[in-house]
Each structure stands twice: as C-alpha cells, then as structure tokens.
Amino acid sequence: MVDTDGARIIQLGAEDAAAGLLLSTEAHWNQTGADWLVFLREGTVLGIRDGRVLVATAALLPYPGNNAWISMVLVTASHRRRGLATQLVDACLEVARKRGLTSWLDATPAGAAVYGPLGFTPTLQLRRLKLVTSTPAATPAPSSAPVEALCARDRRATGLDRTVLLTAFAERPGSRIVSEGGAIALVRDGRTARHVGPLFADDSAGALTMINTIVRSENGPLLIDAVASQGAFLEGLTASGWTIERPFQRMRFGPASATGGELPFAVAGPEFG
C-alpha cells in the first residue's frame, strides 16, 4: 500500500489519459479523455501509484502571462484521508513557484477548507447548474462565431490568454461557438452532459437570451458554471428550470497578475478557470 509520508510523486504523460479518466469518472466528474489530454500535453500532471494503479492526481495548467490553474485533484476512494491530495497540490505549487506562476483553483467547500491553510485566498464564487431536458431540439443552432472572436473576448474579460485551450475546445467534434447580439459562448461535449462556457454578454438579459437559444437547440443535459455575483443571470437560470448542483470558491495563491475588464457570466469550467 502507499506510504502516506513517502508516496512517490511522478509526472504523467499522454499514455496515462485513460487512467486519469477512470479517477474523474469515479468522482462523477464531467471530464472526457480529450480534457485529460489537454492537461497532459499542455500542463504538468502529477500522480501517485499504488503498484501499477494510478490512485491520485493533480494538474497544473499554465497560461501565458505567468498564471496557472491547479485542478484534477483526485484520489481514489480507497486511498483518501492519507494526505495524498495535499502532497500533490504542494508539488504543483512548487512547480509553479519555480516557474514564477501565480496559481489559481476552483474549490468545493471541502476543498476550500484545505486550500485556505495552504495560503490560497478566496476571490469570486461560482455555482454549477444543470438542466435536464429530453425534448428534441426545437430551433436551429444560434449563429456561429469564429474561435478568434471568443479568444479575444475571453482575453479582454479575464486578463488570461487561453487561445490554445479554447482553440482545442472549438476543434473537437460537437463543439460550437455561438453568438447572438452582444453575447458569445462555447458549447462542448462532456462525459455525461454538454457544457456551456465560457459565456460573455453585455448584460444579464443578453446572457439569458443566449442560454435560452442554446437550450432550444440542444436535446440533452447541460451544465454551466455561472459566476455567483451575476445575480440576475443566476436567478433567471433557476427560474427557467436549471438546478444548482454545487458551489465553487475561486482561490488564488500568490499576487494578482491577471486583471480582467469584464465579469463573465459563466466560466470555462472549474478545472480550466
């Protein structure tokens, strides 16, 4: 069995995508194998094995401009409460420190209680919502938009250059970037539900119009990670049948180095920021 104090942390490669997917599926997360390949190819994914079995992971995904996202902190059920997650997050922070990166993450309430003592400070809050619908698509898909438009809006809003990430999302089968009025959003496949986000709009009315148009053009379950302080948008979602599944607390380790000029209505996902 894994020795908690002496667990050997290793760096994972693309060949470990299937093993990582087993962990996130066990946790009932929505990631796909393609999501894991983003982390494994563009970031640093650390893991711990018990024998030949991968039992714990954590990923550091850097973005240009000295920022990085920590995510995919997973421990299989039989190996929890041994400090493996803390060891892996510490190792990610050390990698970030050596590279001069400010680290961010989106934590569950239980995770926030762990990350706070490590030195993370809270920023904004998110709410994950789900809509389950089995009705056939009632309207055509909204107008499509080029990935360059989404990347430019994302960069202006968040202060992060995520061109590589958003382009990878957009190029996947089933993904689409939709725009309507002053709103633009990405819709992509997940393991169990389609994910909407990031979503930017000029106001909450425009954001809700965009969501309603997307819903009418889809025929399966949808997930969205809404910014909690966008109160009118959040209220509009719940009033139209979306249910809140869980909250997330965005947290930062290190000095603020990304200044956004616009608050998104929904983010790319707690694993991506």
Side-chain angles (χ1 to χ4, degrees):
M1 301 298 286
V2 169
D3 179 352
T4 301
D5 295 326
R8 180 171 174 261
I9 295 176
I10 58 173
Q11 183 166 346
L12 305 179
E15 67 278 6
D16 296 300
L21 183 60
L22 284 176
L23 287 178
S24 57
T25 300
E26 178 193 351
H28 305 292
W29 290 6
N30 197 44
Q31 283 81 18
T32 64
D35 290 327
W36 273 98
L37 286 174
V38 169
F39 293 107
L40 291 162
R41 290 172 176 169
E42 305 297 334
T44 299
V45 183
L46 304 177
I48 295 172
R49 299 187 192 280
D50 188 350
R52 301 178 66 179
V53 179
L54 185 66
V55 298
T57 60
L60 181 77
L61 183 64
Y63 295 131
N66 300 324
N67 288 275
W69 226 264
I70 294 176
S71 55
M72 310 313 291
V73 182
L74 289 156
V75 181
T76 193
S78 61
H79 287 68
R80 291 172 190 162
R81 305 184 190 282
R82 303 185 188 187
L84 301 185
T86 299
Q87 289 183 50
L88 286 166
V89 171
D90 282 342
C92 285
L93 288 173
E94 180 61 16
V95 173
R97 185 192 65 78
K98 290 179 177 178
R99 297 181 185 177
L101 303 175
T102 293
S103 298
W104 301 74
L105 55 76
D106 291 326
T108 62
V114 173
Y115 300 134
L118 295 179
F120 284 87
T121 57
T123 58
L124 59 78
Q125 292 189 354
L126 306 172
R127 298 289 184 270
R128 167 157 286 195
L129 296 95
K130 186 172 186 176
L131 180 70
V132 178
T133 174
S134 59
T135 58
T139 63
S143 301
S144 61
V147 67
E148 293 80 8
L150 179 67
C151 292
R153 187 76 178 262
D154 183 76
R155 187 163 51 248
R156 186 170 72 248
T158 66
L160 301 172
D161 182 353
R162 302 192 292 181
T163 300
V164 171
L165 174 71
L166 297 178
T167 301
F169 284 162
E171 291 176 346
R172 294 180 188 175
S175 292
R176 54 195 179 108
I177 299 169
V178 295
S179 66
E180 192 169 71
I184 186 168
L186 172 73
V187 186
R188 60 186 173 89
D189 283 346
R191 186 181 63 85
T192 62
R194 299 265 283 167
H195 188 274
V196 181
L199 166 62
F200 308 101
D202 295 337
D203 51 42
S204 58
L208 287 168
T209 297
M210 168 62 80
I211 288 297
N212 290 334
T213 303
I214 290 171
V215 168
R216 290 196 300 271
S217 65
E218 295 279 340
N219 58 8
L222 296 169
L223 291 174
I224 189 168
D225 295 300
V227 175
S229 58
Q230 297 280 24
F233 177 63
L234 197 59
E235 291 173 5
L237 290 176
T238 55
S240 59
W242 292 76
T243 57
I244 296 177
E245 285 200 328
R246 65 178 67 89
F248 290 100
Q249 174 67 63
R250 180 156 294 180
M251 308 182 81
R252 186 186 73 244
F253 187 96
S257 57
T259 303
E262 175 186 350
L263 189 64
F265 283 87
V267 301
E271 68 273 48
F272 297 109

